[in-house]
Amino acid sequence: MARFTFALAATSALSLFVASNALAATELPWWHAMTGANNEAVEQLAKEFNESQSEYKVVPVFKGTYAEALNAGIAAFRAKQAPAILQVFDAGSGVMLGAEGAMVPVAEVLQKGGYEFNKDQYLPGIVSYYSKPDGTMLSFPFNSSSPVLFYNKDIFAKAGLDAEKPPATWPEVFEAAKKIKASGASDCGFTSTWLTWIQTENFAAWNNVAYGTNENGLAGTDVQLKIDAPLFVEHFQAIADLGKDGTFRYGGRTSEAKQLFMSGECAILTESSGGLGDIVKSGVNYGVGQLPYYEGHGPQNTIPGGASLWVFGGKTDAEYKGIAEFFNFLSKTDIQVRLHEVSGYLPVTMAAYEATKKSGFYDKNPARETPIKQMLGKAPTENSKGVRLVNLPQVRDILNEEFEAMLAGKKDAKAALTDGVQKANAAIAAAIGQ
């Protein structure tokens, strides 16, 4: 009897195992670099999608910083153990394209899942940044942002400036910064995060001047930088001159300068729109303006920062269908509206933008619409579709070294930009095997 009971139990267990495997959902690992509240958003999205159906299970996996996640994804692909989805920051887009055969364009993924891709559903500036010249979208925009100008209203009033009128052009920014310093309202008039992303890449797009050849890399990998042109030299020399007496204060290569603004040390900050949440929490009496420009050049349109979701090749039909279902889920208007309103990142779809506007959200939070208007103001040109280099993270490091030498008084702007372009062009040529 004991033997029969054991055998029956074993048979039942085997049957349950086989049945559960037959019903098991297709797992879709999602490697990402989100921390804090953004990580919570990732986990919540995966949970909601998984509960909405039973065929697929998205599994979020934190892989460190943006750079670490990118490196981990490429290494995993080479080892034939790539995740289904990889979050890649904007600077890594060219790196992903350079990994030939590693990815499948998101437009194809959606089609594999039975969805017809329509680029008109998405914000034009985002589509152009993450697309081929023929309009094929390569990755799914997930957390996109645009640089804007933040200013301290209290310091502006103390310096005798109009606290309700942010400076619109770069000369106005520089003059306001000088007045703030001279009046004693604050020791620092102006600072900026991400000098490479904001003051070169977006500067070029917003002022409709070339960052580099081949449509800034979107039309071909053989790129020569053009940021030693007169307008860039004029701009960076103005910043260097302001830095001599501390009117401009350098915070660091990425987002460190945000602390100088939130602490009240600096009155004007150019920063990602995604930094709004921290600024609100800081309690600073702030205002928001568009990214400044030079008259006669801009404004054109800004280009997005943040990150997008890439899909690796070599997956099964079931995996591609599951990924397509997940991207379709992320594109739903109610999901996009919630993400936009909670996180401060831009809505991906036009429908979500229109729904947010119709709800009156922007009437109560006008600053949240500013980065969207910057991207939608004009159709992108060859100069303003974005920047895509096979080694953009390396190029940013090269330029940052030159900017730091300039701000330390070791070089003027012309020398710093000339040297930066020469070194960057050599690095690009080496990266593409020339």
Side-chain angles (χ1 to χ4, degrees), residues 16 22 43 49 59 102 117 146 170 200 250 308 316 349 368 371:
L16 287 171
E43 295 286 345
F49 173 72
V59 183
F117 172 71
S146 179
W170 281 114
T200 62
Y250 180 62
S308 62
T316 65
T349 65
R368 299 289 281 275

Side-chain angles (χ1 to χ4, degrees), residues 44-102:
Q44 180 63 26
L45 285 170
K47 181 175 182 291
E48 290 181 24
F49 173 72
N50 294 341
E51 291 177 349
S52 71
Q53 44 74 51
S54 58
E55 290 186 66
Y56 312 102
K57 182 180 180 181
V58 170
V59 183
V61 182
F62 175 71
K63 299 300 288 188
T65 65
Y66 275 140
E68 289 168 346
L70 173 61
N71 291 335
I74 292 175
F77 174 78
R78 289 172 178 164
K80 298 184 178 180
Q81 297 177 337
I85 304 168
L86 177 67
Q87 182 190 31
V88 178
F89 68 143
D90 59 304
S93 297
V95 177
M96 288 298 288
L97 278 174
E100 187 175 355

Side-chain angles (χ1 to χ4, degrees), residues 244-264:
K244 292 175 182 177
D245 67 354
T247 301
F248 173 84
R249 188 172 298 173
Y250 180 62
R253 295 185 175 188
T254 59
S255 61
E256 301 90 345
K258 182 168 58 176
Q259 295 296 329
L260 297 176
F261 179 78
M262 295 191 299
S263 67

Side-chain angles (χ1 to χ4, degrees), residues 297-374:
H297 293 278
Q300 173 55 42
N301 66 277
T302 54
I303 55 177
S308 62
L309 305 182
W310 292 74
V311 180
F312 283 99
K315 300 301 177 186
T316 65
D317 290 342
E319 288 173 312
Y320 284 128
K321 190 173 189 310
I323 296 168
E325 292 290 347
F326 182 53
F327 286 170
N328 183 63
F329 168 81
L330 291 178
S331 297
K332 290 182 177 179
T333 300
D334 59 334
I335 296 294
Q336 281 296 315
V337 168
R338 172 155 52 89
L339 282 174
H340 171 48
E341 293 183 358
V342 171
S343 69
Y345 286 110
L346 307 184
V348 170
T349 65
M350 290 297 299
Y353 173 45
E354 294 298 336
T356 306
K357 182 185 292 187
K358 187 176 180 180
S359 73
F361 180 79
Y362 298 130
D363 294 333
K364 299 176 182 177
N365 305 276
R368 299 289 281 275
E369 192 175 17
T370 298
I372 304 173
K373 287 182 174 179
Q374 289 182 168

Side-chain angles (χ1 to χ4, degrees), residues 72-137:
I74 292 175
F77 174 78
R78 289 172 178 164
K80 298 184 178 180
Q81 297 177 337
I85 304 168
L86 177 67
Q87 182 190 31
V88 178
F89 68 143
D90 59 304
S93 297
V95 177
M96 288 298 288
L97 278 174
E100 187 175 355
M103 46 71 65
V104 178
V106 68
E108 291 183 22
V109 174
L110 289 171
Q111 288 167 359
K112 286 175 182 288
Y115 294 101
E116 183 177 351
F117 172 71
N118 181 1
K119 68 178 182 179
D120 294 336
Q121 293 177 347
Y122 301 87
L123 295 185
I126 293 177
V127 170
S128 64
Y129 190 82
Y130 291 117
S131 297
K132 292 180 180 180
D134 65 5
T136 301
M137 195 150 78

Side-chain angles (χ1 to χ4, degrees), residues 1-17:
M1 182 67 177
R3 289 182 182 176
F4 176 78
T5 303
F6 177 80
L8 181 61
T11 301
S12 299
L14 179 60
S15 298
L16 287 171
F17 177 78

Side-chain angles (χ1 to χ4, degrees), residues 216-259:
N216 304 331
L218 272 75
T221 59
D222 182 11
V223 181
Q224 298 280 311
L225 297 197
K226 296 294 185 181
I227 60 170
D228 53 352
L231 189 64
F232 291 93
V233 173
E234 175 188 343
H235 181 63
F236 276 95
Q237 190 57 55
I239 292 175
D241 291 342
L242 292 178
K244 292 175 182 177
D245 67 354
T247 301
F248 173 84
R249 188 172 298 173
Y250 180 62
R253 295 185 175 188
T254 59
S255 61
E256 301 90 345
K258 182 168 58 176
Q259 295 296 329

